[in-house]
């Protein structure tokens, strides 16, 4: 059985849990408290030298880090990965966008505020900058979703899983989703997909 090292509030870990549940794959969950350095112990660093969750331990093969690499491994050959090469590349376009534009800004702001309990006053200019870049990423996502049910083609793919994970919790980073009607409709659509569960569900 797969073993997933994770921290339940993490959107990166949630992406993996959503795919495991969607595909009906059994897994053992090992929860780590990343706030107290549990992903930086020698034991965990042997699994991922980068000291971060999620990590998927694959029986007989070893450990895989990086949420999108794990998604690609789990979903290969399933309907979550488009068969058409152009659509598949479009899916990767969104996955790269998530890791470079959305996650480093909105997920980091949420982590500071929600997990570390910092106040906006304490964070000052660095929070303002993260949120400005995060809002710019949301505007691109809103544009990409205009008139569409899903991000790629006409079906649920890894692009939807990956972008959904941190987008649906941006209010926890102090960002309202009110100005983004296409995003709001899409979030509801993702929540109707088989295997969907809330972010802190095991
Ligand atoms: N690019 C990585 C990012 C992983 C990441 O940032 N993990 C955070 C939690 S969301 C973490 O483990 N932080 C603990 C630490 O840095 O010590 C991915 O997509 O998996």
């Amino acid at each position: 059985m797969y073993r997933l090292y994770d921290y339940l509030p993490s959107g990166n870990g949630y992406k993996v849990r959503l795919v495991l549940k969607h595909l009906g794959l059994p897994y053992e969950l090992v929860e780590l408290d990343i706030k107290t350095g549990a992903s930086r112990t020698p034991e965990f660093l042997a699994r991922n030298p980068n000291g971060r969750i999620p990590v998927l331990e694959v029986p007989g093969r070893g450990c895989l880090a990086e949420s999108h690499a794990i998604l690609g491994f789990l979903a290969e050959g399933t309907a979550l990965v488009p068969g058409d090469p152009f659509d598949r590349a479009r899916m990767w376009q969104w996955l790269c966008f998530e890791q470079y534009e959305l996650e480093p800004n909105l997920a980091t702001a949420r982590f500071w505020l929600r997990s570390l309990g910092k106040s906006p006053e304490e964070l000052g200019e660095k929070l303002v900058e993260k949120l400005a870049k995060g809002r710019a990423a949301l505007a691109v996502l809103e544009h990409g979703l205009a008139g569409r049910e899903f991000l790629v083609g006409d079906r649920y793919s890894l692009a939807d899983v990956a972008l959904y994970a941190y987008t649906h919790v941006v209010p926890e980073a102090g960002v309202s989703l009110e100005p983004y009607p296409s995003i709001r409709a899409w979030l509801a659509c993702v929540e109707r997909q088989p295997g969907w569960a809330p972010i802190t569900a095991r």
Side-chain angles (χ1 to χ4, degrees), residues 7 9-13 15 34-35 37-40 44 48 50-54 65-70 98-99 103 107 111 166:
Y7 169 67
S10 161
N12 288 318
K15 295 166 195 173
I34 62 171
K35 303 192 305 299
S39 61
R40 302 287 165 153
F44 188 77
N48 178 14
N50 199 28
R52 290 167 202 271
I53 58 88
E66 294 296 330
S67 57
H68 293 179
I70 300 171
E98 196 272 351
Q99 287 281 284
E103 194 262 11
F111 184 72
Y166 280 110

PDB file of all heavy atoms in Angstrom, residues 7 9-13 15 34-35 37-40 44 48 50-54 65-70 98-99 103 107 111 166, ligand 1:
ATOM      1  N   TYR A   7       0.739  16.800   5.932  1.00  0.00           N
ATOM      2  CA  TYR A   7       0.289  17.714   6.990  1.00  0.00           C
ATOM      3  C   TYR A   7      -1.087  18.161   6.524  1.00  0.00           C
ATOM      4  O   TYR A   7      -1.207  18.781   5.439  1.00  0.00           O
ATOM      5  CB  TYR A   7       1.288  18.872   7.070  1.00  0.00           C
ATOM      6  CG  TYR A   7       0.887  20.057   7.900  1.00  0.00           C
ATOM      7  CD1 TYR A   7       0.749  19.952   9.284  1.00  0.00           C
ATOM      8  CD2 TYR A   7       0.691  21.302   7.302  1.00  0.00           C
ATOM      9  CE1 TYR A   7       0.404  21.068  10.039  1.00  0.00           C
ATOM     10  CE2 TYR A   7       0.356  22.418   8.055  1.00  0.00           C
ATOM     11  CZ  TYR A   7       0.210  22.290   9.421  1.00  0.00           C
ATOM     12  OH  TYR A   7      -0.124  23.395  10.175  1.00  0.00           O
ATOM     13  N   PRO A   9      -3.481  20.435   6.771  1.00  0.00           N
ATOM     14  CA  PRO A   9      -3.864  21.723   6.176  1.00  0.00           C
ATOM     15  C   PRO A   9      -3.125  22.062   4.874  1.00  0.00           C
ATOM     16  O   PRO A   9      -3.441  23.055   4.221  1.00  0.00           O
ATOM     17  CB  PRO A   9      -3.494  22.747   7.264  1.00  0.00           C
ATOM     18  CG  PRO A   9      -3.367  21.957   8.528  1.00  0.00           C
ATOM     19  CD  PRO A   9      -2.870  20.602   8.107  1.00  0.00           C
ATOM     20  N   SER A  10      -2.148  21.254   4.500  1.00  0.00           N
ATOM     21  CA  SER A  10      -1.355  21.570   3.304  1.00  0.00           C
ATOM     22  C   SER A  10      -2.137  21.329   2.011  1.00  0.00           C
ATOM     23  O   SER A  10      -2.620  20.214   1.758  1.00  0.00           O
ATOM     24  CB  SER A  10      -0.084  20.703   3.281  1.00  0.00           C
ATOM     25  OG  SER A  10       0.450  20.682   1.964  1.00  0.00           O
ATOM     26  N   GLY A  11      -2.195  22.350   1.162  1.00  0.00           N
ATOM     27  CA  GLY A  11      -2.820  22.187  -0.156  1.00  0.00           C
ATOM     28  C   GLY A  11      -2.014  21.245  -1.031  1.00  0.00           C
ATOM     29  O   GLY A  11      -2.568  20.508  -1.848  1.00  0.00           O
ATOM     30  N   ASN A  12      -0.691  21.257  -0.891  1.00  0.00           N
ATOM     31  CA  ASN A  12       0.131  20.353  -1.702  1.00  0.00           C
ATOM     32  C   ASN A  12      -0.158  18.894  -1.344  1.00  0.00           C
ATOM     33  O   ASN A  12      -0.258  18.035  -2.221  1.00  0.00           O
ATOM     34  CB  ASN A  12       1.619  20.677  -1.513  1.00  0.00           C
ATOM     35  CG  ASN A  12       2.006  21.980  -2.194  1.00  0.00           C
ATOM     36  OD1 ASN A  12       1.581  22.244  -3.313  1.00  0.00           O
ATOM     37  ND2 ASN A  12       2.789  22.810  -1.521  1.00  0.00           N
ATOM     38  N   GLY A  13      -0.304  18.624  -0.048  1.00  0.00           N
ATOM     39  CA  GLY A  13      -0.665  17.271   0.372  1.00  0.00           C
ATOM     40  C   GLY A  13      -2.091  16.925  -0.047  1.00  0.00           C
ATOM     41  O   GLY A  13      -2.382  15.787  -0.456  1.00  0.00           O
ATOM     42  N   LYS A  15      -3.749  17.863  -2.667  1.00  0.00           N
ATOM     43  CA  LYS A  15      -3.823  17.461  -4.086  1.00  0.00           C
ATOM     44  C   LYS A  15      -3.643  15.944  -4.199  1.00  0.00           C
ATOM     45  O   LYS A  15      -4.363  15.273  -4.927  1.00  0.00           O
ATOM     46  CB  LYS A  15      -2.678  18.114  -4.888  1.00  0.00           C
ATOM     47  CG  LYS A  15      -2.711  19.600  -4.990  1.00  0.00           C
ATOM     48  CD  LYS A  15      -1.347  20.101  -5.512  1.00  0.00           C
ATOM     49  CE  LYS A  15      -1.179  21.573  -5.314  1.00  0.00           C
ATOM     50  NZ  LYS A  15       0.177  22.045  -5.663  1.00  0.00           N
ATOM     51  N   ILE A  34       4.607  19.983  10.483  1.00  0.00           N
ATOM     52  CA  ILE A  34       5.708  20.720   9.846  1.00  0.00           C
ATOM     53  C   ILE A  34       6.045  22.010  10.595  1.00  0.00           C
ATOM     54  O   ILE A  34       7.128  22.559  10.441  1.00  0.00           O
ATOM     55  CB  ILE A  34       5.405  21.019   8.350  1.00  0.00           C
ATOM     56  CG1 ILE A  34       4.166  21.906   8.195  1.00  0.00           C
ATOM     57  CG2 ILE A  34       5.270  19.732   7.567  1.00  0.00           C
ATOM     58  CD1 ILE A  34       3.961  22.409   6.768  1.00  0.00           C
ATOM     59  N   LYS A  35       5.123  22.469  11.460  1.00  0.00           N
ATOM     60  CA  LYS A  35       5.372  23.720  12.210  1.00  0.00           C
ATOM     61  C   LYS A  35       6.445  23.515  13.279  1.00  0.00           C
ATOM     62  O   LYS A  35       7.065  24.462  13.728  1.00  0.00           O
ATOM     63  CB  LYS A  35       4.092  24.213  12.894  1.00  0.00           C
ATOM     64  CG  LYS A  35       2.924  24.444  11.967  1.00  0.00           C
ATOM     65  CD  LYS A  35       1.797  25.189  12.643  1.00  0.00           C
ATOM     66  CE  LYS A  35       1.287  24.561  13.925  1.00  0.00           C
ATOM     67  NZ  LYS A  35       0.724  23.198  13.772  1.00  0.00           N
ATOM     68  N   GLY A  37       8.990  21.315  12.848  1.00  0.00           N
ATOM     69  CA  GLY A  37      10.212  20.766  12.245  1.00  0.00           C
ATOM     70  C   GLY A  37      10.181  19.279  11.949  1.00  0.00           C
ATOM     71  O   GLY A  37      11.228  18.677  11.667  1.00  0.00           O
ATOM     72  N   ALA A  38       8.984  18.670  11.952  1.00  0.00           N
ATOM     73  CA  ALA A  38       8.917  17.216  11.743  1.00  0.00           C
ATOM     74  C   ALA A  38       9.350  16.797  10.328  1.00  0.00           C
ATOM     75  O   ALA A  38       9.669  15.630  10.112  1.00  0.00           O
ATOM     76  CB  ALA A  38       7.506  16.709  12.026  1.00  0.00           C
ATOM     77  N   SER A  39       9.374  17.748   9.396  1.00  0.00           N
ATOM     78  CA  SER A  39       9.834  17.390   8.033  1.00  0.00           C
ATOM     79  C   SER A  39      11.325  17.686   7.865  1.00  0.00           C
ATOM     80  O   SER A  39      11.861  17.580   6.759  1.00  0.00           O
ATOM     81  CB  SER A  39       9.015  18.154   6.986  1.00  0.00           C
ATOM     82  OG  SER A  39       9.189  19.544   7.152  1.00  0.00           O
ATOM     83  N   ARG A  40      11.984  18.048   8.961  1.00  0.00           N
ATOM     84  CA  ARG A  40      13.423  18.380   8.878  1.00  0.00           C
ATOM     85  C   ARG A  40      14.272  17.429   9.730  1.00  0.00           C
ATOM     86  O   ARG A  40      15.436  17.696   9.994  1.00  0.00           O
ATOM     87  CB  ARG A  40      13.644  19.831   9.344  1.00  0.00           C
ATOM     88  CG  ARG A  40      12.853  20.856   8.524  1.00  0.00           C
ATOM     89  CD  ARG A  40      13.445  21.038   7.159  1.00  0.00           C
ATOM     90  NE  ARG A  40      12.530  21.727   6.244  1.00  0.00           N
ATOM     91  CZ  ARG A  40      12.929  22.443   5.209  1.00  0.00           C
ATOM     92  NH1 ARG A  40      14.216  22.563   4.940  1.00  0.00           N
ATOM     93  NH2 ARG A  40      12.050  23.002   4.406  1.00  0.00           N
ATOM     94  N   PHE A  44      13.284  11.981   8.213  1.00  0.00           N
ATOM     95  CA  PHE A  44      12.463  12.437   7.088  1.00  0.00           C
ATOM     96  C   PHE A  44      13.330  12.925   5.926  1.00  0.00           C
ATOM     97  O   PHE A  44      12.995  12.694   4.758  1.00  0.00           O
ATOM     98  CB  PHE A  44      11.475  13.538   7.515  1.00  0.00           C
ATOM     99  CG  PHE A  44      10.505  13.862   6.403  1.00  0.00           C
ATOM    100  CD1 PHE A  44       9.431  13.022   6.131  1.00  0.00           C
ATOM    101  CD2 PHE A  44      10.701  14.973   5.595  1.00  0.00           C
ATOM    102  CE1 PHE A  44       8.564  13.287   5.067  1.00  0.00           C
ATOM    103  CE2 PHE A  44       9.841  15.247   4.529  1.00  0.00           C
ATOM    104  CZ  PHE A  44       8.763  14.404   4.273  1.00  0.00           C
ATOM    105  N   ASN A  48      13.022  12.706   1.865  1.00  0.00           N
ATOM    106  CA  ASN A  48      13.047  13.855   0.953  1.00  0.00           C
ATOM    107  C   ASN A  48      14.097  14.848   1.449  1.00  0.00           C
ATOM    108  O   ASN A  48      13.841  15.594   2.401  1.00  0.00           O
ATOM    109  CB  ASN A  48      11.673  14.536   0.880  1.00  0.00           C
ATOM    110  CG  ASN A  48      11.709  15.766  -0.025  1.00  0.00           C
ATOM    111  OD1 ASN A  48      12.668  15.952  -0.786  1.00  0.00           O
ATOM    112  ND2 ASN A  48      10.680  16.590   0.056  1.00  0.00           N
ATOM    113  N   ASN A  50      14.795  17.558   0.551  1.00  0.00           N
ATOM    114  CA  ASN A  50      14.291  18.936   0.514  1.00  0.00           C
ATOM    115  C   ASN A  50      13.445  19.269   1.747  1.00  0.00           C
ATOM    116  O   ASN A  50      12.997  20.410   1.902  1.00  0.00           O
ATOM    117  CB  ASN A  50      13.497  19.146  -0.789  1.00  0.00           C
ATOM    118  CG  ASN A  50      13.330  20.608  -1.136  1.00  0.00           C
ATOM    119  OD1 ASN A  50      14.161  21.449  -0.766  1.00  0.00           O
ATOM    120  ND2 ASN A  50      12.253  20.934  -1.825  1.00  0.00           N
ATOM    121  N   GLY A  51      13.203  18.292   2.607  1.00  0.00           N
ATOM    122  CA  GLY A  51      12.554  18.561   3.892  1.00  0.00           C
ATOM    123  C   GLY A  51      11.117  19.039   3.814  1.00  0.00           C
ATOM    124  O   GLY A  51      10.685  19.823   4.655  1.00  0.00           O
ATOM    125  N   ARG A  52      10.397  18.594   2.817  1.00  0.00           N
ATOM    126  CA  ARG A  52       9.010  19.058   2.670  1.00  0.00           C
ATOM    127  C   ARG A  52       8.054  17.903   2.384  1.00  0.00           C
ATOM    128  O   ARG A  52       8.426  16.944   1.694  1.00  0.00           O
ATOM    129  CB  ARG A  52       8.900  20.059   1.510  1.00  0.00           C
ATOM    130  CG  ARG A  52       9.573  21.382   1.810  1.00  0.00           C
ATOM    131  CD  ARG A  52       9.705  22.195   0.532  1.00  0.00           C
ATOM    132  NE  ARG A  52      10.762  23.174   0.672  1.00  0.00           N
ATOM    133  CZ  ARG A  52      10.591  24.398   1.146  1.00  0.00           C
ATOM    134  NH1 ARG A  52       9.404  24.804   1.489  1.00  0.00           N
ATOM    135  NH2 ARG A  52      11.612  25.222   1.258  1.00  0.00           N
ATOM    136  N   ILE A  53       6.831  18.057   2.895  1.00  0.00           N
ATOM    137  CA  ILE A  53       5.753  17.146   2.512  1.00  0.00           C
ATOM    138  C   ILE A  53       5.075  17.776   1.300  1.00  0.00           C
ATOM    139  O   ILE A  53       5.244  18.994   1.080  1.00  0.00           O
ATOM    140  CB  ILE A  53       4.752  16.917   3.680  1.00  0.00           C
ATOM    141  CG1 ILE A  53       4.127  18.232   4.176  1.00  0.00           C
ATOM    142  CG2 ILE A  53       5.439  16.202   4.822  1.00  0.00           C
ATOM    143  CD1 ILE A  53       2.913  18.654   3.469  1.00  0.00           C
ATOM    144  N   PRO A  54       4.311  17.054   0.492  1.00  0.00           N
ATOM    145  CA  PRO A  54       4.012  15.635   0.615  1.00  0.00           C
ATOM    146  C   PRO A  54       5.137  14.758   0.064  1.00  0.00           C
ATOM    147  O   PRO A  54       5.841  15.155  -0.863  1.00  0.00           O
ATOM    148  CB  PRO A  54       2.754  15.475  -0.257  1.00  0.00           C
ATOM    149  CG  PRO A  54       2.910  16.519  -1.328  1.00  0.00           C
ATOM    150  CD  PRO A  54       3.562  17.681  -0.639  1.00  0.00           C
ATOM    151  N   ALA A  65       8.826  12.911  -3.997  1.00  0.00           N
ATOM    152  CA  ALA A  65       8.438  14.225  -3.467  1.00  0.00           C
ATOM    153  C   ALA A  65       7.915  15.082  -4.618  1.00  0.00           C
ATOM    154  O   ALA A  65       7.940  14.656  -5.769  1.00  0.00           O
ATOM    155  CB  ALA A  65       9.647  14.886  -2.812  1.00  0.00           C
ATOM    156  N   GLU A  66       7.465  16.284  -4.286  1.00  0.00           N
ATOM    157  CA  GLU A  66       6.893  17.257  -5.223  1.00  0.00           C
ATOM    158  C   GLU A  66       5.479  16.808  -5.624  1.00  0.00           C
ATOM    159  O   GLU A  66       5.294  15.820  -6.343  1.00  0.00           O
ATOM    160  CB  GLU A  66       7.750  17.487  -6.474  1.00  0.00           C
ATOM    161  CG  GLU A  66       9.089  18.144  -6.179  1.00  0.00           C
ATOM    162  CD  GLU A  66       8.962  19.570  -5.609  1.00  0.00           C
ATOM    163  OE1 GLU A  66       7.989  20.270  -5.933  1.00  0.00           O
ATOM    164  OE2 GLU A  66       9.829  19.972  -4.823  1.00  0.00           O
ATOM    165  N   SER A  67       4.495  17.592  -5.154  1.00  0.00           N
ATOM    166  CA  SER A  67       3.096  17.187  -5.337  1.00  0.00           C
ATOM    167  C   SER A  67       2.766  16.850  -6.792  1.00  0.00           C
ATOM    168  O   SER A  67       2.089  15.857  -7.064  1.00  0.00           O
ATOM    169  CB  SER A  67       2.154  18.273  -4.809  1.00  0.00           C
ATOM    170  OG  SER A  67       2.393  19.514  -5.428  1.00  0.00           O
ATOM    171  N   HIS A  68       3.263  17.656  -7.742  1.00  0.00           N
ATOM    172  CA  HIS A  68       2.824  17.418  -9.116  1.00  0.00           C
ATOM    173  C   HIS A  68       3.496  16.193  -9.735  1.00  0.00           C
ATOM    174  O   HIS A  68       2.912  15.527 -10.597  1.00  0.00           O
ATOM    175  CB  HIS A  68       3.040  18.675  -9.969  1.00  0.00           C
ATOM    176  CG  HIS A  68       2.145  19.801  -9.528  1.00  0.00           C
ATOM    177  ND1 HIS A  68       2.136  21.048 -10.106  1.00  0.00           N
ATOM    178  CD2 HIS A  68       1.216  19.857  -8.521  1.00  0.00           C
ATOM    179  CE1 HIS A  68       1.250  21.818  -9.482  1.00  0.00           C
ATOM    180  NE2 HIS A  68       0.687  21.118  -8.518  1.00  0.00           N
ATOM    181  N   ALA A  69       4.703  15.881  -9.266  1.00  0.00           N
ATOM    182  CA  ALA A  69       5.337  14.635  -9.713  1.00  0.00           C
ATOM    183  C   ALA A  69       4.534  13.445  -9.194  1.00  0.00           C
ATOM    184  O   ALA A  69       4.311  12.457  -9.911  1.00  0.00           O
ATOM    185  CB  ALA A  69       6.778  14.567  -9.210  1.00  0.00           C
ATOM    186  N   ILE A  70       4.064  13.562  -7.946  1.00  0.00           N
ATOM    187  CA  ILE A  70       3.275  12.473  -7.356  1.00  0.00           C
ATOM    188  C   ILE A  70       1.948  12.321  -8.115  1.00  0.00           C
ATOM    189  O   ILE A  70       1.520  11.216  -8.442  1.00  0.00           O
ATOM    190  CB  ILE A  70       3.034  12.726  -5.849  1.00  0.00           C
ATOM    191  CG1 ILE A  70       4.369  12.828  -5.097  1.00  0.00           C
ATOM    192  CG2 ILE A  70       2.158  11.628  -5.256  1.00  0.00           C
ATOM    193  CD1 ILE A  70       4.249  13.300  -3.641  1.00  0.00           C
ATOM    194  N   GLU A  98       0.665  26.965 -11.409  1.00  0.00           N
ATOM    195  CA  GLU A  98       0.313  26.829  -9.984  1.00  0.00           C
ATOM    196  C   GLU A  98       1.561  26.913  -9.103  1.00  0.00           C
ATOM    197  O   GLU A  98       1.578  27.598  -8.075  1.00  0.00           O
ATOM    198  CB  GLU A  98      -0.415  25.492  -9.762  1.00  0.00           C
ATOM    199  CG  GLU A  98      -1.166  25.411  -8.428  1.00  0.00           C
ATOM    200  CD  GLU A  98      -0.328  24.898  -7.259  1.00  0.00           C
ATOM    201  OE1 GLU A  98       0.805  24.439  -7.496  1.00  0.00           O
ATOM    202  OE2 GLU A  98      -0.778  24.978  -6.122  1.00  0.00           O
ATOM    203  N   GLN A  99       2.621  26.217  -9.521  1.00  0.00           N
ATOM    204  CA  GLN A  99       3.819  26.150  -8.675  1.00  0.00           C
ATOM    205  C   GLN A  99       4.617  27.449  -8.691  1.00  0.00           C
ATOM    206  O   GLN A  99       5.350  27.726  -7.753  1.00  0.00           O
ATOM    207  CB  GLN A  99       4.709  24.983  -9.122  1.00  0.00           C
ATOM    208  CG  GLN A  99       4.145  23.628  -8.757  1.00  0.00           C
ATOM    209  CD  GLN A  99       4.373  23.244  -7.294  1.00  0.00           C
ATOM    210  OE1 GLN A  99       5.465  22.876  -6.898  1.00  0.00           O
ATOM    211  NE2 GLN A  99       3.329  23.313  -6.484  1.00  0.00           N
ATOM    212  N   GLU A 103       0.865  29.132  -5.910  1.00  0.00           N
ATOM    213  CA  GLU A 103       1.261  28.516  -4.632  1.00  0.00           C
ATOM    214  C   GLU A 103       2.275  29.356  -3.851  1.00  0.00           C
ATOM    215  O   GLU A 103       2.098  29.587  -2.651  1.00  0.00           O
ATOM    216  CB  GLU A 103       1.769  27.082  -4.900  1.00  0.00           C
ATOM    217  CG  GLU A 103       1.891  26.223  -3.661  1.00  0.00           C
ATOM    218  CD  GLU A 103       3.304  26.169  -3.127  1.00  0.00           C
ATOM    219  OE1 GLU A 103       4.172  26.956  -3.572  1.00  0.00           O
ATOM    220  OE2 GLU A 103       3.562  25.368  -2.233  1.00  0.00           O
ATOM    221  N   ALA A 107      -0.388  30.389  -1.035  1.00  0.00           N
ATOM    222  CA  ALA A 107      -0.190  29.344  -0.023  1.00  0.00           C
ATOM    223  C   ALA A 107       0.730  29.851   1.079  1.00  0.00           C
ATOM    224  O   ALA A 107       0.519  29.569   2.262  1.00  0.00           O
ATOM    225  CB  ALA A 107       0.379  28.082  -0.665  1.00  0.00           C
ATOM    226  N   PHE A 111      -0.192  30.186   4.972  1.00  0.00           N
ATOM    227  CA  PHE A 111       0.615  29.473   5.983  1.00  0.00           C
ATOM    228  C   PHE A 111       1.044  30.441   7.081  1.00  0.00           C
ATOM    229  O   PHE A 111       0.938  30.129   8.270  1.00  0.00           O
ATOM    230  CB  PHE A 111       1.824  28.813   5.309  1.00  0.00           C
ATOM    231  CG  PHE A 111       2.655  27.976   6.252  1.00  0.00           C
ATOM    232  CD1 PHE A 111       2.188  26.753   6.726  1.00  0.00           C
ATOM    233  CD2 PHE A 111       3.910  28.404   6.682  1.00  0.00           C
ATOM    234  CE1 PHE A 111       2.941  25.971   7.605  1.00  0.00           C
ATOM    235  CE2 PHE A 111       4.677  27.633   7.561  1.00  0.00           C
ATOM    236  CZ  PHE A 111       4.185  26.412   8.027  1.00  0.00           C
ATOM    237  N   TYR A 166      -5.236  25.107  -3.456  1.00  0.00           N
ATOM    238  CA  TYR A 166      -5.002  26.352  -2.707  1.00  0.00           C
ATOM    239  C   TYR A 166      -6.020  27.438  -3.039  1.00  0.00           C
ATOM    240  O   TYR A 166      -6.248  28.332  -2.224  1.00  0.00           O
ATOM    241  CB  TYR A 166      -3.585  26.869  -2.939  1.00  0.00           C
ATOM    242  CG  TYR A 166      -2.573  26.125  -2.090  1.00  0.00           C
ATOM    243  CD1 TYR A 166      -1.656  25.256  -2.662  1.00  0.00           C
ATOM    244  CD2 TYR A 166      -2.576  26.263  -0.698  1.00  0.00           C
ATOM    245  CE1 TYR A 166      -0.749  24.553  -1.875  1.00  0.00           C
ATOM    246  CE2 TYR A 166      -1.678  25.558   0.097  1.00  0.00           C
ATOM    247  CZ  TYR A 166      -0.762  24.713  -0.499  1.00  0.00           C
ATOM    248  OH  TYR A 166       0.115  24.014   0.292  1.00  0.00           O
TER     249      TYR A 166
HETATM  250  N1  LIG B   1       6.827  22.206  -4.545  1.00  0.00           N
HETATM  251  C1  LIG B   1       6.497  21.371  -3.415  1.00  0.00           C
HETATM  252  C2  LIG B   1       6.254  22.263  -2.214  1.00  0.00           C
HETATM  253  C3  LIG B   1       6.147  21.455  -0.931  1.00  0.00           C
HETATM  254  C4  LIG B   1       6.002  22.360   0.290  1.00  0.00           C
HETATM  255  O1  LIG B   1       6.203  23.583   0.206  1.00  0.00           O
HETATM  256  N2  LIG B   1       5.650  21.754   1.411  1.00  0.00           N
HETATM  257  C5  LIG B   1       5.475  22.505   2.639  1.00  0.00           C
HETATM  258  C6  LIG B   1       4.038  22.329   3.139  1.00  0.00           C
HETATM  259  S1  LIG B   1       2.848  22.853   1.954  1.00  0.00           S
HETATM  260  C7  LIG B   1       6.396  21.943   3.720  1.00  0.00           C
HETATM  261  O2  LIG B   1       6.563  20.742   3.822  1.00  0.00           O
HETATM  262  N3  LIG B   1       6.975  22.818   4.552  1.00  0.00           N
HETATM  263  C8  LIG B   1       7.757  22.373   5.686  1.00  0.00           C
HETATM  264  C9  LIG B   1       9.146  22.923   5.699  1.00  0.00           C
HETATM  265  O3  LIG B   1       9.514  23.634   4.749  1.00  0.00           O
HETATM  266  O4  LIG B   1       9.835  22.610   6.658  1.00  0.00           O
HETATM  267  C10 LIG B   1       5.275  20.502  -3.735  1.00  0.00           C
HETATM  268  O5  LIG B   1       4.505  20.864  -4.631  1.00  0.00           O
HETATM  269  O6  LIG B   1       5.109  19.447  -3.121  1.00  0.00           O
END
